[in-house]
Amino acid sequence: MAGAAGLLSWLEATALAEAMRGSLWMYPIVEIVHITGFTILVGSVAMFDLRVLGFARSLPLQALGRHLLPWAVAALALIVPAGLMLFSAHPHDFASNKVFRLKLALIGAAGANAALFHFGVYRHAAGWNEGVRTPALARVQAAASLAIWIAVICCGRLLAYT
């Protein structure tokens, strides 16, 4: 535990962390970038999940996935560095915050759910690509994805109050 506290103290003393705390505009701008990226990511995931749940069955699922995946990856390229920058400003506060830790756990669960989906049932998506009801497991995973991402959004918003 002392190693983690030392790492957090080191991070808090970096020039980046000091700039995040000392600049009037840097923290809000980075937060806007983080939220914008998150909006793109969750929007892409939600559109795909809704299609898996049975909405817009006439849209080919695999084509929709190929279209949305680059947007989700690009969003991660905004979210991760911006999130690390935000974290650096107050690492001890975030690390000790139960809502923040829950948010990270939920993001991990969302990633695990996505990996299970893509390396599992989605490998056979050609059989239910268009006009066909998706398998029950795919629908369960899509519903779980939506629920998890909504919970992540709630945690992110609650961070301002905890």
Side-chain angles (χ1 to χ4, degrees):
M1 206 57 157
L7 181 61
L8 294 175
S9 293
W10 169 83
L11 180 60
E12 189 172 45
T14 62
L16 172 63
E18 290 177 9
M20 289 292 292
R21 288 189 304 274
S23 169
L24 177 63
W25 291 104
M26 191 167 176
Y27 196 97
I29 289 169
V30 171
E31 190 170 34
I32 289 167
V33 169
H34 187 68
I35 292 168
T36 300
F38 200 73
T39 301
I40 294 167
L41 173 66
V42 174
S44 298
V45 169
M47 291 298 99
F48 185 80
D49 288 343
L50 289 170
R51 169 56 187 87
V52 171
L53 286 171
F55 294 90
R57 282 191 196 154
S58 63
L59 287 176
L61 180 69
Q62 291 173 309
L64 183 62
R66 282 190 305 274
H67 175 72
L68 293 174
L69 183 61
W71 287 100
V73 171
L76 284 172
L78 293 175
I79 296 166
V80 172
L84 292 172
M85 290 173 75
L86 294 169
F87 181 80
S88 77
H90 306 285
H92 291 283
D93 294 340
F94 281 118
S96 65
N97 186 306
K98 291 179 183 178
V99 173
F100 179 75
R101 292 195 313 257
L102 176 59
K103 178 183 172 184
L104 292 183
L106 288 165
I107 291 169
N113 183 55
L116 289 171
F117 176 83
H118 284 280
F119 293 113
V121 68
Y122 191 63
R123 290 182 305 147
H124 308 288
W128 41 276
N129 187 44
E130 187 176 357
V132 178
R133 186 175 174 135
T134 56
L137 177 59
R139 293 191 312 274
V140 167
Q141 288 180 292
S145 173
L146 285 171
I148 292 167
W149 283 115
I150 290 168
V152 170
I153 292 167
C154 292
C155 286
R157 190 63 205 122
L158 288 172
L159 283 175
Y161 304 102
T162 59

